[in-house]
Amino acid sequence: MNQPARLAVFLSGNGSNAEAIFNHFKNHSTIKVVLVLSNNPGAVGLERAHKFNIPTRVFTRQQFRESEEVMGWLKDAGVTHVVLAGFLWLVPSNLIETFPQRIINIHPALLPKYGGKGMYGMKVHEAVKNAGETETGITIHEVDERYDQGRILFQGKCPVHSTYTTQQIAEQVQRLEHAHYPRVIERWVNR
Ligand code: GAR
């Protein structure tokens, strides 16, 4: 029997990956999403969490980086693993030290290409198109103090035809994300 796990999901925007995760784990016997957190009070992902009756918290940069407040919420909720799903801030070292190898992220490209500070969302797909890449994909990795550089757990690829618009690239990548992220999280938690 696998150990029970309690996930916190951090997001900054739309939260479509978060919703795929909520759906995947809603009736799971050992893994539960217990808290959703965002730096953005207007994040659509928070509304998605409400629909699944998952508690939410919003924080400022000061609360996140210069206090133990967010850490306190995670402890109170008994969080065992942290999932970043379209979360755009760098994770502070106190969080990484509290959850060693227990923070996971998804990136919409084949790292180490098209990663690093400022590389997120559509900017990634524009860079892929402008470089004339013939394939792109997703990377799911553990999180450390550097942007997009932790241990890679999974990569999935899709083709980029020269006629594709940035939007078409984004849609393909998003399909891959939704198909794989929840299952990779499940395997990673149960490793
Ligand atoms: C996703 O494509 C995710 O890979 C990306 O943000 C998007 C969020 O979409 N993350 C990064 O770029 C991290 N560097 P969503 O809010 O609909 O899940």
Side-chain angles (χ1 to χ4, degrees):
M1 174 78 172
N2 291 314
Q3 292 292 318
R6 297 170 69 79
L7 311 185
V9 176
F10 281 74
L11 54 85
S12 297
N14 184 28
S16 70
N17 277 285
E19 181 154 352
I21 293 163
F22 304 156
N23 260 315
H24 185 84
F25 292 112
K26 67 181 176 209
N27 296 317
H28 198 280
S29 57
T30 56
I31 302 174
K32 187 174 160 71
V33 180
V34 294
L35 191 59
V36 171
L37 304 101
S38 185
N39 59 301
N40 174 10
V44 174
L46 293 171
E47 292 165 29
R48 297 183 193 261
H50 295 150
K51 291 201 184 106
F52 283 78
N53 292 317
I54 302 168
T56 60
R57 290 279 197 171
V58 174
F59 52 83
T60 63
R61 192 173 286 276
Q62 193 274 335
Q63 281 173 308
F64 191 50
R65 301 207 71 88
E66 288 155 38
S67 85
E68 292 290 312
E69 221 170 327
V70 173
M71 197 74 78
W73 299 338
L74 299 177
K75 281 188 185 142
D76 289 348
V79 169
T80 59
H81 295 75
V82 173
V83 174
L84 309 185
F87 180 63
L88 301 182
W89 286 1
L90 194 62
V91 174
S93 48
N94 61 345
L95 202 66
I96 290 164
E97 281 154 20
T98 307
F99 296 94
Q101 285 98 48
R102 285 178 173 236
I103 309 179
I104 194 169
N105 183 41
I106 188 161
H107 187 78
L110 296 169
L111 291 174
K113 283 181 162 184
Y114 308 106
K117 192 168 165 54
M119 268 292 174
Y120 60 87
M122 292 306 273
K123 289 188 189 171
V124 177
H125 308 309
E126 273 157 27
V128 165
K129 182 166 171 57
N130 291 341
E133 296 283 356
T134 56
E135 66 176 14
T136 188
I138 65 170
T139 303
I140 298 170
H141 63 95
E142 283 179 353
V143 172
D144 60 23
E145 280 94 345
R146 303 155 303 166
Y147 271 110
D148 301 327
Q149 289 188 42
R151 185 168 73 96
I152 290 177
L153 302 165
F154 175 88
Q155 289 192 301
K157 293 181 182 173
C158 55
V160 180
H161 297 302
S162 55
T163 57
Y164 279 6
T165 61
T166 313
Q167 187 58 36
Q168 282 171 313
I169 299 172
E171 283 165 12
Q172 276 207 117
V173 168
Q174 203 168 52
R175 269 199 293 279
L176 270 183
E177 292 190 320
H178 298 168
H180 291 285
Y181 201 18
R183 290 193 294 115
V184 173
I185 292 169
E186 184 169 5
R187 274 209 311 273
W188 169 74
V189 165
N190 290 331
R191 77 205 124 139

